[in-house]
Amino acid sequence: MSFSNHIAFDQIRDWPPGKIATLSVEELALLLEDLSDAKARLATIENKLRGGLDLKYGPKASAARKAAGKDTGTARVADGRFTVIADLPKRVKWDQPKLARAVRTIIEQWRDDPAQYVATEYKVSEASYAAWPDVVRKLFEPARTVEHGKPTFRIEVQDGEAL
């Protein structure tokens, strides 16, 4: 897109939303395009920077974690007058069918309450909910809360038109 009188991010950094709302659709479209490009560039830079940090400090951080008897978490690596703090978060995933079998074992064989060991969360896909008969939807409606996400906007040039 090309448009004269292009507004730069530095110009709008301290503007209130009301002032941004006075911009023309062309200016808004350019800003959204610039923002998308900037995010992509920053993501590339971030990935490369994190990769470089991992190559440089990853092995030392891993050794520090191992020495502390852990596989994940925070490790501190000294480098000259700096300390690099390397965090490797733990992400645990549970196999749902295997968990269900374990819960059945607790109920059927141990005759115990699985709520002492696991939290159960019921989920309903919105597509399923929409396809249910009215009587089923009415049964579940009191348990349903609809929240709003953050609004997003895109601006497209209509076919055959140019800025």
Side-chain angles (χ1 to χ4, degrees), residues 53-127:
L53 288 165
D54 191 39
L55 282 173
K56 184 168 186 154
Y57 298 107
K60 291 177 183 174
S62 181
R65 281 188 209 94
K66 188 174 182 178
K70 56 186 185 175
D71 296 327
T72 59
T74 303
R76 295 178 176 278
V77 177
D79 188 353
R81 60 187 186 98
F82 295 94
T83 298
V84 177
I85 302 162
D87 187 38
L88 183 61
K90 183 188 294 188
R91 292 215 171 94
V92 177
K93 292 185 180 179
W94 292 91
D95 182 296
Q96 295 303 302
K98 290 178 183 175
L99 275 178
R101 284 194 296 277
V103 166
R104 278 194 308 276
T105 297
I106 292 169
I107 294 169
E108 296 169 3
Q109 294 177 19
W110 298 2
R111 306 280 186 231
D112 203 353
D113 179 12
Q116 296 180 56
Y117 308 100
V118 296
T120 305
E121 180 179 354
Y122 298 102
K123 293 183 181 185
V124 176
S125 80
E126 194 60 17

Side-chain angles (χ1 to χ4, degrees), residues 26-39:
E26 291 88 357
E27 292 168 316
L28 293 168
L30 285 169
L31 284 167
L32 285 172
E33 185 177 288
D34 289 350
L35 181 61
S36 180
D37 292 346
K39 282 181 178 180

Side-chain angles (χ1 to χ4, degrees), residues 6-15 20 27-39 41-42:
H6 189 109
I7 296 181
F9 291 139
D10 287 342
Q11 290 175 274
I12 66 165
R13 180 175 300 139
D14 297 322
W15 288 6
I20 294 169
E27 292 168 316
L28 293 168
L30 285 169
L31 284 167
L32 285 172
E33 185 177 288
D34 289 350
L35 181 61
S36 180
D37 292 346
K39 282 181 178 180
R41 284 192 313 272
L42 284 174

